[in-house]
Amino acid sequence: KQFQWSQNKKAQFEVIVRGFHVLFQGPRWRTEPSDLILPINFPDQEATIRCEAEGNPSPQYRWSLNGTLIDLGSDYRRHMSGGNLIINSLDRDQDTGIYQCTAFNTWGTILSRRLTLDFFAVSVREGQGVVLLCGPPMHSGELTFAWIFNEYPYFVQQDSRRFISQETGSLYIAKVEPSDVGNYTCVVNNSITKGKVLSSPTPLVLRNDGAMGEYEPKIEVHFPDTVPAAKGSTVKLECFALGNPVPEISWRRTSGVPFPSKVKMKNSNAVLEIQNFQQEDTGTYECVAENSRGKNAARGRISFHAKPHWLQTMIDGALSIEENLFWECKANGKPKPSYSWLKNGDNLMAEGRVQIENGALSIAALNLSDTGMYQCVAENKHGIIYSSAELMVLASPPSFSKNPLKALLKARSGSDVALECKPQASPRAISLWKKGNEIVQRNERITLLPNGTLKIANVTRRDAGSYTCIAKNQFGTATVTVWTEPTRITQRPANMEIIVGESIVLPCQIASDPALDVSFSWAFNGQLIDFHGDADHFDRVGGSISGDLMIRNIQLNHGGKYVCVINTDVESLSASAILVVKGPPGPPDTVAVEEITDSTAQLSWKPGRDNGSPITGYIIQARTPFTVGWQAVDTVPEDINGNTLTATVVGLNAWVEYEFRVVARNSVGMGEPSPASAKTRTEDSMPDTAPTDVGGGGGTKSELVITWEPVPEELQNGEGFGYIIAFRPLGAVTWTRAVISTPGVARYVFRNDTIPAFSPFDVKVGAYNNRGEGPFSSIATVFSAEEVPSEAPKRVWGRSVSAAQIEVIWEALPATPERVLGYEVVYWEDDTKPDTVGKVRISANYSAVNVTGLKANTQYYLALCTFNTAGTGPQSTPINATTKKPPPGQPPLNVEWTMIGSLLTLHWDPVIAMETEAEVIGYLVLLRRHRDNEVNSIITNKTRMELTLSSNDNYLIQIKALSEGGEGVGSEPIHIHKLSTLAISSLSSSCVH
């Protein structure tokens, strides 16, 4: 059987049985009622008990109280809304009891679970105990309870006098005190949905007939006589007593066995918690409540018991008349539940065709009267559960309306064909076949299957004709025609050669009977092509008679055999082609260095794949620790053809570690390089490269400083590398030589008291290693160190230029024995700390310099000296100068502009300098043209200016205050756009910044 849901205006369960689409329309519960507990003294209270079922037609409802049907027609306080029962003006005596809802329609009847409606009171005397009930709402999932006292967030705090049961939700006060008077609201939290529900406030008031005297404990909260528990679960037993004085709670096992450590007492001993419940925890537990007036006890046994729960339930069934029904339901529970069966809400008894054995129901030879709603009931002393299902008994003549035969069936000669005959019929129909007017008989090629299917093997043209399937109780007809016309391939794919990266189309086109359904597929090297998974390369093109294959961006791995497969209703055809993909050569292999000298290396290698095109040549690349990546190298022979597998690399550096690789090429292009050869070092030799950039000079008195550019490591040609420095006074013949054995050194200092200051020398530098000396550099002229200047500048004075600049002026020195390269100004703020200095240098051609970046309104001390390469000479006598006050920090405000034609008029508020700022002596107007980015500066001592602007350019204008301390902060920029873009020739506008 196949099942599927169909959602119409009303929920219906649809199933397909023997070709019939069956709708199960009997009632099913959407909402069943649950227990309801109400306060007794709430005036004009109304209660609604929910009950809702679905079915087609819509179910009707009736209610019973304590097993007696409620006559709603004569009951003015009770009425129904849908299936919900509404009770007005609640009465404890008349409305307390057990209610049950019944839903029925023309297809059957079902009963709901039972619910209890109860009441409670809240008026007590001082000293008396009280219980405030909390009826939980309809829910699924675990609930937790709390109580609010008067208003949120003041919650009732549990102690030895007050207890909130997590089983019932009720609040228990052992002994009422005047402080307990107020409104109590039950808060119910759902641990699954995280929802929260609050009850209506319940007032607690004290009666005025005096306080209640002392009395012995009365246990109001106690666990059942038998508590079912599952292995590994957490068991909580609650026990709380009312009494005056407030009772004390204690626990024990009647067997005398002490509690293990996993047993916890909580909430002033009102809760006993057993974690990880095991077999040894079963037994009788006793709770004792005791005060000075007496004591009371409650006992209960914990065992492995449970309410019934379903292991297997029934499903709706649709069976044909005369068939047999078998339903079975299974439930588990402790003690083991008993079973009973209901039909349309009435007890179903075992008799005649109906057999009941525990949870199994069987009905033989079904008839139409057996249609209805059935319920399996499982019950033990802990609870009762219901499982519902609908039975429909079907009876109908054969019909082909749902499963007609194909009007035309196409078959290929020599193939096998099956004609299915599946009439709707209940009970099952017996089928026979006719060809034309003759009944089809079985033979070695023709088979009649029990399900009505006619099979014909090795079909021939003689089998063509009209076939009719006849059902036994009422026939239906359908014809099948056997005909075939061969399908032809009109364009086949051809063998091809193609370059990697190109795209092609392999054709596959046919001519066929238009009545045939045709499909195309392609295989590559025996595997079907996945057009979705490899859409980057493969795609189908063409229409219903064309299955062309497009291959984009062909790669080497696309070379191989392609097969076009054409499938029709009656046959399968194919055509194939070989595709050869040409690409650049694969990488050569096994590159080896056969022989190496100080400047050459002989290599050999093995060829890689030619990828469809012969290899035409090779190039060799090398790299060293000193090169960036791989570099092509010179070889002998210069051009290496495709048949050559050895070559000599020339022009190598001595004593350098090399790696080599080989790249092949063919008519398609360059291939991938080979793996690198093993690292190999060339032999050593004498240096053949001299140091470069020889020079020097400077140093201190009696020194000759010589410098050069070191020879790179890759050009040192061997171990033991160093430098030979040769020098002589200009015009002398004999060279003085010095040797430095450190390759990285680039400086040599010769010291001798006889060296005259700033005298010229011929200098050259050569290189050597363990194999011998190499060439010298060309001769350079280097001067010995000069002496520092001996005279200080005179007539030095300074003046403040702005808040950040001081100009220092001096009289140029006359000729001195020592060379003067320039002047150095040293300055500092505090005369007591002359070591905190700044410096400014300028060449000897100048006699003044600006010192910038200074603090405003600050006194500086300044001294001047000369310098050359040997150092600085003596300083002049220090002078002092004070920078000016800073410019105003406030920009020009309220800048207004008016434009009439090309004349721009500017107005702004004067800038008032603060006491610590330099006085304003004027204003600077900056005018920037966007076209050439040219900036014009205009100075004025007024707060108004007129400017004539070009009509075809954009401008940016900014205004700054001027002072002795420099320029102030600029105003907000003003943007003036092209006058030619304006809609009128004359514009007057203003903008205030």
Side-chain angles (χ1 to χ4, degrees):
K1 298 178 183 178
Q2 296 178 317
F3 298 92
Q4 63 182 22
W5 285 100
S6 173
Q7 184 67 43
N8 302 319
K9 292 182 179 179
K10 299 180 180 295
Q12 301 171 351
F13 185 43
E14 180 177 7
V15 67
I16 301 173
V17 180
R18 296 185 182 163
F20 287 103
H21 289 258
V22 180
L23 293 176
F24 292 103
Q25 304 173 98
R28 282 173 187 76
W29 290 122
R30 280 186 176 173
T31 304
E32 293 189 71
S34 57
D35 292 343
L36 193 61
I37 302 176
L38 303 169
I40 194 172
N41 61 342
F42 196 75
D44 299 325
Q45 191 171 24
E46 175 185 279
T48 299
I49 310 175
R50 290 180 54 80
C51 177
E52 183 181 4
E54 61 184 5
N56 188 17
S58 297
Q60 301 181 49
Y61 303 89
R62 54 177 176 261
W63 283 86
S64 64
L65 171 59
N66 296 327
T68 302
L69 183 66
I70 299 175
D71 183 4
L72 297 176
S74 61
D75 193 332
Y76 71 93
R77 291 192 307 109
R78 300 187 181 99
H79 66 278
M80 282 199 301
S81 174
N84 298 336
L85 177 64
I86 301 174
I87 308 174
N88 297 308
S89 303
L90 285 164
D91 184 273
R92 181 179 187 182
D93 295 331
Q94 297 184 53
D95 297 325
T96 299
I98 297 174
Y99 290 76
Q100 189 170 31
C101 176
T102 302
F104 60 95
N105 65 9
T106 55
W107 299 98
T109 303
I110 55 175
L111 301 179
S112 75
R113 68 166 71 97
R114 300 185 181 100
L115 72 107
T116 300
L117 176 63
D118 206 351
F119 297 82
F120 65 94
V122 292
S123 179
V124 297
R125 297 165 60 189
E126 182 181 351
Q128 183 181 357
V130 69
V131 180
L132 302 183
L133 303 182
C134 179
M138 293 170 52
H139 68 280
S140 61
E142 183 179 352
L143 302 182
T144 59
F145 301 89
W147 284 79
I148 296 174
F149 179 56
N150 284 333
E151 61 182 15
Y152 182 85
Y154 299 103
F155 286 90
V156 174
Q157 301 300 314
Q158 300 185 69
D159 51 24
S160 60
R161 192 171 64 86
R162 291 169 295 193
F163 175 68
I164 299 172
S165 171
Q166 296 304 314
E167 294 292 334
T168 65
S170 301
L171 169 62
Y172 300 83
I173 304 177
K175 173 188 173 186
V176 174
E177 297 178 354
S179 61
D180 295 324
V181 172
N183 291 318
Y184 290 81
T185 302
C186 178
V187 182
V188 185
N189 295 283
N190 190 311
S191 61
I192 301 298
T193 65
K194 306 302 181 184
K196 180 185 293 185
V197 178
L198 276 66
S199 70
S200 300
T202 300
L204 178 66
V205 298
L206 291 181
R207 290 162 49 179
N208 55 12
D209 51 355
M212 186 172 183
E214 294 184 351
Y215 62 95
E216 67 181 12
K218 178 184 178 184
I219 296 178
E220 284 289 340
V221 180
H222 60 80
F223 48 97
D225 293 340
T226 301
V227 178
K231 181 178 180 181
S233 64
T234 297
V235 179
K236 293 183 180 180
L237 305 181
E238 294 185 343
C239 182
F240 191 77
L242 311 183
N244 186 4
V246 175
E248 294 182 358
I249 306 297
S250 61
W251 294 82
R252 73 182 189 92
R253 295 180 68 169
T254 57
S255 63
V257 177
F259 292 135
S261 60
K262 69 178 180 178
V263 176
K264 309 294 182 184
M265 307 291 180
K266 297 182 177 181
N267 296 355
S268 301
N269 289 0
V271 177
L272 174 73
E273 181 178 287
I274 307 173
Q275 298 180 350
N276 190 23
F277 188 82
Q278 300 295 324
Q279 179 68 43
E280 59 267 21
D281 297 318
T282 60
T284 301
Y285 288 73
E286 183 179 71
C287 158
V288 179
E290 184 174 8
N291 65 9
S292 59
R293 304 295 297 178
K295 66 180 178 178
N296 207 341
R299 292 183 178 182
R301 177 174 179 79
I302 305 179
S303 61
F304 286 93
H305 284 184
K307 295 179 180 180
H309 62 275
W310 289 120
L311 300 176
Q312 177 181 328
T313 57
M314 319 162 338
I315 62 173
D316 295 325
L319 299 176
S320 296
I321 193 169
E322 298 299 328
E323 285 192 314
N324 298 327
L325 167 72
F326 179 79
W327 266 331
E328 185 176 21
C329 58
K330 295 180 181 179
N332 198 6
K334 291 292 182 82
K336 185 175 181 179
S338 61
Y339 299 91
S340 60
W341 288 83
L342 303 176
K343 178 187 176 185
N344 294 328
D346 297 327
N347 286 327
L348 184 64
M349 307 303 294
E351 58 182 357
R353 296 181 302 110
V354 180
Q355 297 297 320
I356 297 175
E357 184 176 353
N358 291 327
L361 168 66
S362 60
I363 304 177
L366 290 170
N367 57 48
L368 294 178
S369 65
D370 295 320
T371 296
M373 296 299 301
Y374 290 78
Q375 290 179 287
C376 177
V377 184
E379 181 177 11
N380 67 10
K381 62 182 180 180
H382 300 292
I384 182 170
I385 54 177
Y386 297 82
S387 173
S388 304
E390 182 178 358
L391 172 64
M392 296 187 68
V393 180
L394 308 176
S396 68
S399 170
F400 287 94
S401 60
K402 296 294 185 181
N403 298 301
L405 291 179
K406 289 184 178 180
L408 176 67
L409 179 64
K410 298 175 286 289
R412 181 170 56 88
S413 295
S415 65
D416 296 343
V417 68
L419 311 180
E420 291 186 340
C421 182
K422 294 182 178 180
Q424 274 187 322
S426 185
R428 188 189 305 274
I430 299 175
S431 303
L432 61 88
W433 285 88
K434 281 186 177 182
K435 180 185 178 187
N437 294 322
E438 295 182 2
I439 296 177
V440 177
Q441 301 295 334
R442 293 182 175 87
N443 58 36
E444 67 276 3
R445 293 193 305 112
I446 298 177
T447 305
L448 293 174
L449 301 181
N451 63 1
T453 298
L454 172 64
K455 294 188 69 175
I456 306 175
N458 192 20
V459 169
T460 69
R461 288 186 179 272
R462 292 193 303 273
D463 294 317
S466 177
Y467 287 80
T468 302
C469 175
I470 304 173
K472 182 178 180 180
N473 54 1
Q474 183 175 338
F475 68 90
T477 63
T479 61
V480 57
T481 301
V482 179
W483 181 255
T484 180
E485 177 184 342
T487 300
R488 295 181 298 106
I489 299 177
T490 59
Q491 189 173 0
R492 298 172 174 270
N495 297 339
M496 299 182 65
E497 292 184 353
I498 192 168
I499 303 299
V500 68
E502 295 181 349
S503 299
I504 61 166
V505 174
L506 296 179
C508 184
Q509 299 179 12
I510 63 169
S512 67
D513 188 330
L516 291 176
D517 292 329
V518 181
S519 65
F520 295 87
S521 59
W522 282 85
F524 170 53
N525 289 339
Q527 298 291 325
L528 279 177
I529 294 176
D530 181 2
F531 288 95
H532 295 289
D534 201 0
D536 291 341
H537 295 289
F538 296 105
D539 194 10
R540 292 189 184 94
V541 292
S544 60
I545 60 170
S546 175
D548 296 352
L549 172 66
M550 173 176 281
I551 312 176
R552 301 186 186 91
N553 188 21
I554 288 180
Q555 301 301 306
L556 291 171
N557 61 352
H558 291 147
K561 183 177 181 180
Y562 288 82
V563 179
C564 174
V565 180
I566 305 104
N567 288 304
T568 71
D569 299 347
V570 296
E571 60 188 329
S572 179
L573 305 174
S574 65
S576 63
I578 301 297
L579 182 63
V580 176
V581 180
K582 294 183 177 182
D589 194 16
T590 319
V591 179
V593 180
E594 304 291 347
E595 184 180 345
I596 195 161
T597 68
D598 61 349
S599 62
T600 66
Q602 185 175 342
L603 306 182
S604 66
W605 61 90
K606 293 181 180 179
R609 297 179 58 181
D610 63 7
N611 289 332
S613 180
I615 296 174
T616 58
Y618 296 93
I619 64 169
I620 298 177
Q621 298 173 338
R623 70 177 176 186
T624 73
F626 314 106
T627 60
V628 178
W630 293 90
Q631 308 290 332
V633 292
D634 296 331
T635 61
V636 176
E638 184 176 352
D639 293 322
I640 307 172
N641 64 45
N643 297 322
T644 302
L645 299 178
T646 182
T648 300
V649 181
V650 298
L652 303 180
N653 292 326
W655 200 246
V656 172
E657 193 174 64
Y658 281 89
E659 292 177 277
F660 300 96
R661 71 181 186 184
V662 182
V663 184
R665 65 174 178 268
N666 61 13
S667 60
V668 178
M670 299 294 295
E672 292 292 322
S674 70
S677 69
K679 294 180 179 180
T680 307
R681 184 181 293 275
T682 52
E683 296 179 349
D684 60 351
S685 67
M686 291 185 299
D688 54 12
T689 301
T692 59
D693 200 17
V694 175
T700 59
K701 183 179 180 181
S702 302
E703 288 184 348
L704 174 63
V705 178
I706 303 171
T707 60
W708 61 92
E709 182 68 27
V711 175
E713 184 179 349
E714 63 266 31
L715 300 178
Q716 293 175 5
N717 289 5
E719 295 181 327
F721 184 85
Y723 299 99
I724 302 171
I725 297 92
F727 55 92
R728 65 187 179 189
L730 188 65
V733 176
T734 304
W735 292 91
T736 302
R737 290 165 57 106
V739 175
I740 296 178
S741 60
T742 305
V745 170
R747 185 173 185 267
Y748 171 74
V749 179
F750 176 70
R751 296 180 179 85
N752 193 312
D753 293 340
T754 63
I755 297 178
F758 206 64
S759 61
F761 282 79
D762 289 333
V763 174
K764 62 181 180 179
V765 181
Y768 74 93
N769 62 18
N770 291 344
R771 295 294 298 270
E773 293 184 7
F776 275 90
S777 68
S778 57
I779 297 175
T781 300
V782 177
F783 286 84
S784 62
E786 57 186 340
E787 295 182 349
V788 297
S790 58
E791 295 185 19
K794 298 180 175 58
R795 297 186 180 180
V796 179
W797 62 282
R799 70 181 185 88
S800 176
V801 178
S802 69
Q805 294 184 22
I806 293 176
E807 183 182 30
V808 180
I809 305 168
W810 61 89
E811 183 179 284
L813 282 174
T816 61
E818 300 83 20
R819 188 172 62 138
V820 175
L821 293 180
Y823 296 90
E824 180 180 89
V825 177
V826 181
Y827 59 94
W828 61 95
E829 292 184 31
D830 190 346
D831 192 34
T832 63
K833 298 178 181 178
D835 56 324
T836 58
V837 299
K839 296 180 181 179
V840 177
R841 280 191 171 188
I842 195 167
S843 69
N845 299 329
Y846 294 89
S847 59
V849 67
N850 276 343
V851 180
T852 61
L854 304 178
K855 298 179 183 178
N857 199 24
T858 302
Q859 185 180 52
Y860 284 91
Y861 295 87
L862 307 99
L864 185 69
C865 64
T866 58
F867 69 88
N868 60 19
T869 59
T872 57
Q875 291 182 350
S876 66
T877 303
I879 62 172
N880 65 73
T882 301
T883 54
K884 298 184 181 298
K885 292 181 179 180
Q890 180 69 42
L893 299 177
N894 297 326
V895 179
E896 297 183 359
W897 60 274
T898 302
M899 187 71 134
I900 300 176
S902 60
L903 181 65
L904 174 69
T905 303
L906 295 169
H907 297 269
W908 61 90
D909 290 347
V911 176
I912 307 302
M914 300 180 66
E915 184 178 347
T916 57
E917 297 173 340
E919 290 294 330
V920 176
I921 60 176
Y923 297 92
L924 176 66
V925 179
L926 300 174
L927 178 67
R928 180 189 299 272
R929 296 186 62 167
H930 283 206
R931 173 174 298 175
D932 50 15
N933 212 25
E934 176 186 352
V935 179
N936 292 327
S937 300
I938 306 169
I939 298 176
T940 179
N941 57 4
K942 299 179 180 179
T943 58
R944 181 180 184 279
M945 176 172 285
E946 291 183 349
L947 299 171
T948 300
L949 305 181
S950 173
S951 61
N952 56 1
D953 202 355
N954 295 327
Y955 292 88
L956 187 144
I957 300 173
Q958 193 175 33
I959 304 170
K960 297 181 179 181
L962 293 177
S963 70
E964 289 186 347
E967 298 177 5
V969 179
S971 65
E972 288 290 329
I974 301 171
H975 296 272
I976 308 295
H977 297 285
K978 291 181 181 179
L979 301 181
S980 59
T981 62
L982 300 178
I984 56 176
S985 59
S986 178
L987 173 68
S988 177
S989 60
S990 65
C991 176
V992 178
H993 294 273

